[in-house]
Amino acid sequence: MKPILQLQQLRKNRNSLESGPLFANVSADIAEPAIIALLGVSGQGKSTLLRMLAALDNIYEGDVRLHNVSQRETDPRSWRMKVCYVAQQSVMLHGSIEQNLKTVSQLHRIPYDVKLVQHLLPRLGLDHLDMGKNADQLSGGEKQRVSLLRSLLLHPEVLLLDEITASLDRGSKEMVEQVLEEWHHQEGTTMIWVTHDIVQARQMSKTVWFMGEGTLLENSATASFFEQPATELARNYIQAPVQKEQT
Ligand SMILES: Nc1ncnc2c1ncn2[C@@H]1O[C@H](COP(=O)(O)OP(=O)(O)OP(=O)(O)O)[C@@H](O)[C@H]1O
Ligand SMILES: [Mg+2]
């Protein structure tokens, strides 16, 4: 079977070359639909990598292939329909919540699936919202969930999730996790999920990609990553939040 997504020798330089690349030699294949947790300390380039995968940043070396088709040979708009990035800090378009949801469908020339919206709004804890409300006025956590819903409407093949539950209360976080788990099973969507929430990574993912020392340092099954990380860096990363919780 051909891999779904291939990361081939990706390298991103920093703005100043003096201190070496932000990351290099980042290679990985996703052979079958999976939820992958992308972990690593702050500043390693996780968001930068997701933006590259989503064709939102084309200044890099190497290549990304979706079903063996190069990102470089694909129109960015059609790529972004299939590989969708949900940002760490979501940006709403001007206008109402409904306009925000509709615009994405219009942009990509697909029908607006109002039934899906009505199905997902309560399941994401957003049914209290007036759809005519100005999207700029939403809270950070509401914006993140509207932004997730906006991406789900495209039924992407790959969903890139950047700390999308970071500003949510526990109940809302669990709702999002459940929606995404079911979506993954029903639609077969591959998800690359950046999170600093170790419990979430452990529960939700099948595979862990750990970034460190300017590269993809570990690529392992989730259970073996947490039970037996191959590097000292990963060991420290896993232990740090636990120590924090205990103090
Ligand atoms: N387009 C870019 N070109 C070069 N460097 C960038 C670019 N965007 C961000 N950076 C720098 O790359 C570094 C990594 O940023 P990035 O946001 O990808 O880290 P991160 O791993 O997502 O961190 P966090 O866990 O805090 O979100 C930062 O020092 C940032 O300033
Ligand atoms: Mg980030």
Side-chain angles (χ1 to χ4, degrees):
M1 206 167 73
K2 275 191 204 143
I4 298 168
L5 196 73
Q6 291 168 284
L7 284 58
Q8 297 180 326
Q9 291 292 317
L10 296 176
R11 176 189 171 103
K12 179 76 184 171
N13 289 328
R14 292 177 197 270
N15 293 335
S16 130
L17 274 175
E18 288 155 28
S19 46
L22 176 58
F23 53 75
N25 299 318
V26 171
S27 295
D29 282 1
I30 301 176
E32 54 187 38
I35 299 182
I36 295 162
L38 177 55
L39 309 180
V41 297
S42 193
Q44 286 295 310
K46 303 179 297 296
S47 296
T48 306
L49 179 61
L50 290 194
R51 290 178 54 78
M52 278 164 60
L53 300 182
L56 291 164
D57 176 357
N58 60 7
I59 306 169
Y60 66 85
E61 291 168 34
D63 200 3
V64 186
R65 300 180 85 84
L66 180 69
H67 297 299
N68 211 22
V69 178
S70 164
Q71 189 188 89
R72 299 188 185 282
E73 291 158 11
T74 310
D75 165 49
R77 201 163 77 173
S78 91
W79 182 277
R80 286 181 211 135
M81 227 178 128
K82 295 177 195 145
V83 184
C84 261
Y85 175 63
V86 186
Q88 197 165 356
Q89 272 148 2
S90 12
V91 179
M92 293 287 108
L93 309 167
H94 287 298
S96 68
I97 301 170
E98 189 164 39
Q99 280 166 338
N100 262 269
L101 296 173
K102 280 184 172 167
T103 302
V104 175
S105 307
Q106 281 162 359
L107 194 68
H108 292 287
R109 297 192 184 92
I110 55 168
Y112 176 60
D113 190 346
V114 68
K115 276 201 180 135
L116 183 58
V117 173
Q118 282 165 354
H119 171 71
L120 287 176
L121 278 174
R123 307 206 51 233
L124 291 169
L126 295 174
D127 47 338
H128 62 284
L129 291 179
D130 166 9
M131 295 295 277
K133 186 180 169 132
N134 193 326
D136 286 337
Q137 291 166 2
L138 295 173
S139 74
E142 288 167 344
K143 279 184 189 163
Q144 274 183 323
R145 281 170 287 164
V146 170
S147 158
L148 173 64
L149 176 52
R150 207 167 50 181
S151 295
L152 292 177
L153 287 175
L154 293 175
H155 296 265
E157 289 191 44
V158 181
L159 195 52
L160 307 169
L161 306 166
D162 201 348
E163 298 193 40
I164 55 153
T165 59
S167 51
L168 298 185
D169 63 275
R170 194 169 165 170
S172 306
K173 185 180 83 157
E174 283 169 5
M175 288 174 101
V176 170
E177 288 172 352
Q178 201 173 352
V179 165
L180 286 172
E181 194 155 52
E182 283 175 23
W183 189 272
H184 167 66
H185 287 298
Q186 282 164 14
E187 300 265 328
T189 309
T190 287
M191 301 180 186
I192 306 178
W193 192 332
V194 172
T195 179
H196 289 292
D197 181 338
I198 295 295
V199 176
Q200 182 176 66
R202 220 172 166 152
Q203 277 174 358
M204 299 293 300
S205 72
K206 183 179 169 214
T207 304
V208 171
W209 290 356
F210 179 74
M211 284 182 90
E213 295 175 354
T215 193
L216 189 59
L217 205 55
E218 299 198 32
N219 176 355
S220 342
T222 299
S224 75
F225 176 82
F226 283 105
E227 278 152 35
Q228 268 186 321
T231 60
E232 185 71 27
L233 211 59
R235 229 180 334 271
N236 291 339
Y237 179 81
I238 295 167
Q239 280 164 8
V242 179
Q243 283 163 0
K244 226 184 263 171
E245 275 167 21
Q246 285 168 348
T247 51

